Structure formats: structure tokens, C-alpha cells
């Protein structure tokens, strides 16, 4: 590859990385417009749907034989990270809806099929919470994290942050295994 060609590819890659936050904001604004009556919830839901898609595609992408992969012994395996994300949907999504459903996916689901099925069920659970959430309900404060109070929407947003935090783990695991993460596929 010639230097000019490499420089052009590097420039494009940097441009995509720098443009990504703006694209997410634009997508969030577009989702907010579709939910004219609930723009707060719809904006949050846009980020949630992006996180959900990345995680589900990551679950499908890794071969079952690599679900036990750990970069080091002191961290969760690839499959355990996915199961942990499933548990998070119940913990944080459920708390936002004043429900307390704990499925213990990380302790019970062991095979790729079990983990993927549990992950899909967990996201469906959270989908239903978003479907029932209104902006008026979203700004209600409820007890959370001990003695503090937090809005229902903040709990849903915390769930997105938690999901994306662990998607970052999955990205690293995929890269170590020579796989391109879902969020990077279109940037190649």
C-alpha cells in the first residue's frame, strides 16, 4: 500500500471515529421525533436500541467454542459477560419500572444457545418497559442505590451505560480473537 493510500485510509478512519458521537446524537434526535409525545423516553430508547443491537450481534458473531474465552483468568468469559448484560436488563430495567425480577442468567445459562436465548428474553423484557414508559413517568424519582433517589429514565440510561461498558469488553475479546466487532463492521 502506498503512503498516500494509507494516509487516506487513516484519515477516513479518524473521521468516522470523530463523527460517531454526532451520528448518535442525530439518530437520537430522529428517534425523539418519532415519539412526539415522549421525546425523553424515545431519545433514551434510541441509545438502548443501538446497545441492544451491538450486543446481540456480538453474541451471534462469536463461535460457541470461544464463549469460554477469557483474556486473563481474573475476568468473566465472553459468555459470562453476555449473561451479565442479560441480568442487567432485569436489574436496571426492572428497577425503572418498579419491578424486581432477577433471573440469575450469569449463574444458570452456560451454552451459547442458552445465553443467546436468555439475552433475547432480557432485551424483550426491557423493550416492554420502554413501551410502557412515558415522559411523565420517566421523570418520577424513585429510591435506588441505597438511600438515593433517581428518575426512572436515569435508571434506563444507566442500563444503557452498563450495557455499553460491557460491549466494550466484548469488543476487546472479539479483537483478541481476530473478529471485527459489529459497531466497526461498516467502518472497514
Amino acid at each position: 500500500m502506498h503512503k498516500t493510500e494509507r494516509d487516506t485510509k487513516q484519515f477516513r478512519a479518524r473521521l468516522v471515529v470523530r463523527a460517531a458521537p454526532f451520528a448518535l446524537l442525530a439518530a437520537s434526535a430522529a428517534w425523539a421525533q418519532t415519539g412526539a409525545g415522549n421525546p425523553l423516553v424515545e431519545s433514551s430508547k434510541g441509545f438502548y436500541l443501538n446497545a441492544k443491537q451491538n450486543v446481540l450481534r456480538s453474541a451471534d458473531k462469536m463461535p460457541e467454542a470461544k464463549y469460554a474465552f477469557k483474556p486473563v483468568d481474573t475476568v468473566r468469559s465472553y459468555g459470562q459477560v453476555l449473561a451479565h448484560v442479560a441480568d442487567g436488563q432485569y436489574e436496571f430495567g426492572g428497577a425503572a419500572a418498579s419491578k424486581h425480577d432477577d433471573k440469575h442468567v450469569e449463574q444458570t445459562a452456560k451454552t451459547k444457545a442458552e445465553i443467546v436465548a436468555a439475552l433475547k428474553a432480557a432485551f424483550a423484557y426491557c423493550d416492554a418497559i420502554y413501551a410502557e414508559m412515558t415522559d411523565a413517568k420517566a421523570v418520577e424519582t424513585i429510591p435506588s442505590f441505597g438511600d438515593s433517589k433517581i428518575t426512572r429514565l436515569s435508571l434506563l440510561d444507566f442500563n444503557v451505560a452498563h450495557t455499553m461498558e460491557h460491549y466494550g469488553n466484548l469488543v476487546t475479546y472479539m479483537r483478541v480473537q481476530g473478529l471485527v466487532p459489529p459497531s466497526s463492521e461498516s467502518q472497514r
Side-chain angles (χ1 to χ4, degrees), residues 32-49:
Q33 290 175 358
T34 63
N38 294 299
L40 294 174
V41 173
E42 290 302 317
S43 292
S44 176
K45 186 178 179 181
F47 290 110
Y48 160 76
L49 292 173

Side-chain angles (χ1 to χ4, degrees), residues 3-64:
K3 184 179 183 329
T4 309
E5 228 179 301
R6 187 178 67 244
D7 290 346
T8 302
K9 284 187 177 188
Q10 288 174 348
F11 173 76
R12 285 183 183 150
R14 284 192 305 268
L15 185 62
V16 167
V17 169
R18 289 182 181 146
F22 297 108
L24 281 173
L25 287 174
S28 178
W31 281 310
Q33 290 175 358
T34 63
N38 294 299
L40 294 174
V41 173
E42 290 302 317
S43 292
S44 176
K45 186 178 179 181
F47 290 110
Y48 160 76
L49 292 173
N50 180 266
K52 172 185 165 182
Q53 178 185 35
N54 282 334
V55 170
L56 288 174
R57 289 174 59 203
S58 297
D60 288 336
K61 192 164 192 134
M62 186 67 81
E64 181 164 12

